[in-house]
Amino acid sequence: MQLNDEQKVDESVQRRRFLGLTAAAAALGLTATVAGCGALGGGSGDVTLRLVAPEYGSGGSDTSKKYWEGLVTAFEAKNPGVKVEVRIESWDDIDRKVAEMVKADKAPDIAQIGAYADYAAAGELYSADDLLSIPVQANFLPPLAAAGEYKRTQYGLPFVASTRPLFYNRALFEEAGAKPPTTWDELAEAAGKLKENGVRTPFALPLGPEEAQLEAMMWMVSGGGGWTDGTDHYDVDSDANVKTFEWLKKELVGKGLTGPVAPGKLNRKDAFTSFANGEVGMLNGHPSLLKQAAEKGVEVGQVALPGNDGPAKTAMGVADWIMGFKQNGNRKEIGDFLNFVFSDENVLKFAGDHGLLPVTVTASTRMETDAEHADLRVFLKTLPGSQLPPVGKTSWAKVSETVKQNIGRAVTPSGNPSQVLASIGRVATAAENAE
């Protein structure tokens, strides 16, 4: 399921790439259909759809609730007889609450959450073919569409995406005489200069339980590895991954370049806050951090993730997912709504408001040429060829949790990267065999 620049994709993904590249013309010719009643037709009778979605905003004018209210008002005006009730939950709770709803036979019609594979495996979701018009389905960026597949059928519809380049504090770099790194050795050299100049955390390495599975993957990918191999089987303790964590332990953590908090106890949110407060020289960043840092007056530089011998050949991509549940039988109405959700205007509105990336070819093209979003261009450039976590595996939830609890031990003074990765790999293989 993961894609990288070296990997050959199967025929269906190749076809999707072709369709995606031509979707701009197709979508422009069908704007009224997609943005109006949709290719599947209008609602038959009075139907109320229930949507559960997370809060991305930090308050003020960029709340997710405000976005959905505006979108629903516009949709209902064009689809008489169809109402949409929106329930917003925090990211801390939403996956659990949706799971509880499904278990209690009270599934929402639509959920926008972090994972889809378990529901697809249980036969609880409509496929993309069931819901979306051809131009809309073909318009997804290829690696995101492929990541939304369970057993070669797409159930997870990418809602919003991001990639993770390296961020650095321009002022701290200038004061320390450091240069933006393109290799791991240059990164360690820059971190050393920052430390000598009194920077509290030269490089923030959040391998704590909040998001360790993604931080670890960024380093694995930049070292030529990843969670899975070319056949989409787990390969956690590959030679490339072991060498990556041996380097991290010896050259960054072991030399005191990752700050006072042990990587295994440092969470992403705390690392981002410290960066925005001017206390961190470098970290692997996220588009939303640009806004957070700007609000604190921190000028951010960004470069592609450094690799062991040059810039990483592949970036890591991340997507959140939206899906339609079968339980209430509202296939046509769900399809109409999702076709509307994926119009360029709506995709760009949400991504732009929250500093994230659009998931479609046409919206990405429009954002790339928009001066307002110039600071997102490096993310947009790397997203189409990015490698995503193996979210199409039902085993990934268990593997991800195991990583969160254990990967930090690989870089402790007494830790053995090979042994830690091998232990996680055994859990991954067992979970995969049980799928």
Side-chain angles (χ1 to χ4, degrees):
M1 183 225 16
Q2 297 181 31
L3 297 180
N4 57 46
D5 291 339
E6 307 296 326
Q7 185 179 349
K8 290 185 179 179
V9 293
D10 60 34
E11 182 179 351
S12 67
V13 177
Q14 291 182 25
R15 182 172 65 254
R16 187 181 291 111
R17 179 177 288 115
F18 170 77
L19 290 171
L21 292 173
T22 60
L28 287 172
L30 294 172
T31 299
T33 301
V34 174
C37 293
L40 298 175
S44 53
D46 291 334
V47 172
T48 298
L49 300 177
R50 292 182 300 147
L51 164 69
V52 180
E55 179 57 74
Y56 285 81
S58 56
S61 62
D62 65 346
T63 64
S64 298
K65 180 179 180 181
K66 182 177 180 180
Y67 169 82
W68 285 114
E69 286 177 346
L71 186 148
V72 165
T73 298
F75 172 78
E76 290 178 348
K78 296 184 177 183
N79 292 267
V82 183
K83 301 295 182 183
V84 183
E85 294 179 353
V86 180
R87 172 177 165 181
I88 302 295
E89 298 283 355
S90 74
W91 267 116
D92 292 339
D93 300 325
I94 189 167
D95 286 332
R96 173 180 56 82
K97 289 191 175 183
V98 169
E100 290 171 351
M101 294 170 70
V102 173
K103 186 176 181 179
D105 292 327
K106 297 180 180 179
D109 295 282
I110 303 164
Q112 195 264 293
I113 51 180
Y116 67 88
D118 285 349
Y119 300 122
E124 293 164 336
L125 300 181
Y126 289 114
S127 71
D129 288 337
D130 292 330
L131 298 174
L132 300 180
S133 67
I134 292 173
V136 170
Q137 189 176 353
N139 199 21
F140 290 127
L141 290 165
L144 302 183
E149 292 181 357
Y150 173 74
K151 293 188 175 179
R152 296 184 178 273
T153 297
Q154 186 180 359
Y155 295 94
L157 313 179
F159 180 74
V160 72
S162 69
T163 59
R164 308 286 176 90
L166 183 138
F167 285 2
Y168 63 94
N169 183 312
R170 288 186 181 275
L172 294 181
F173 263 61
E174 183 176 346
E175 292 167 5
K179 295 181 180 179
T182 60
T183 68
W184 287 352
D185 287 344
E186 290 177 1
L187 187 152
E189 180 182 357
K193 289 183 177 181
L194 291 165
K195 182 180 180 181
E196 291 172 2
N197 204 47
V199 175
R200 184 170 182 263
T201 303
F203 189 96
L205 183 65
L207 293 176
E210 180 188 1
E211 202 180 62
Q213 79 284 9
L214 298 184
E215 181 70 23
M217 183 176 172
M218 280 181 264
W219 285 98
M220 290 175 171
V221 169
S222 64
W227 291 120
T228 60
D229 59 20
T231 62
D232 198 30
H233 293 293
Y234 288 112
D235 195 16
V236 178
D237 59 339
S238 67
D239 289 344
N241 290 344
V242 171
K243 289 178 181 177
T244 292
F245 275 85
E246 288 177 343
W247 185 90
L248 284 172
K249 178 184 175 181
K250 179 182 178 182
E251 302 296 337
L252 283 190
V253 183
K255 293 183 178 180
L257 301 177
T258 53
V261 180
K265 297 184 180 298
L266 180 64
N267 282 326
R268 177 186 63 84
K269 183 177 180 180
D270 295 330
F272 280 17
T273 298
S274 294
F275 183 86
N277 288 337
E279 301 167 350
V280 172
M282 293 177 281
L283 49 62
N284 294 330
H286 180 289
S288 64
L289 181 55
L290 293 174
K291 181 178 180 181
Q292 185 179 350
E295 290 173 349
K296 295 293 188 73
V298 172
E299 187 178 357
V300 180
Q302 51 183 304
V303 293
L305 292 182
N308 53 3
D309 59 359
K313 296 178 177 62
T314 305
M316 186 197 73
V318 180
D320 298 327
W321 307 94
I322 193 166
M323 60 212 71
F325 282 86
K326 292 180 177 180
Q327 185 179 111
N328 302 314
N330 296 320
R331 180 182 70 86
K332 288 186 177 181
E333 292 80 9
I334 294 171
D336 291 342
F337 183 74
L338 291 175
N339 278 312
F340 186 77
V341 165
F342 287 112
S343 68
D344 276 1
E345 289 72 19
N346 290 326
V347 170
L348 285 167
K349 171 66 175 170
F350 190 91
D353 284 353
H354 295 88
L356 294 168
L357 305 183
V359 296
T360 64
V361 174
T362 51
S364 295
T365 300
R366 285 177 57 175
M367 179 176 277
E368 191 170 4
T369 58
D370 188 343
E372 180 183 353
H373 301 296
D375 57 353
L376 295 178
R377 285 173 185 165
V378 65
F379 300 92
L380 291 165
K381 182 179 179 180
T382 56
L383 182 60
S386 63
Q387 182 176 343
L388 277 77
V391 291
K393 290 178 173 291
T394 57
S395 58
W396 177 238
K398 181 175 183 178
V399 174
S400 177
E401 188 60 33
T402 302
V403 173
K404 291 178 182 180
Q405 300 304 320
N406 293 283
I407 195 67
R409 295 190 294 110
V411 296
T412 60
S414 60
N416 185 311
S418 179
Q419 291 179 2
V420 172
L421 291 172
S423 176
I424 295 171
R426 287 191 291 272
V427 172
T429 299
E432 183 175 53
N433 290 339
E435 285 184 317

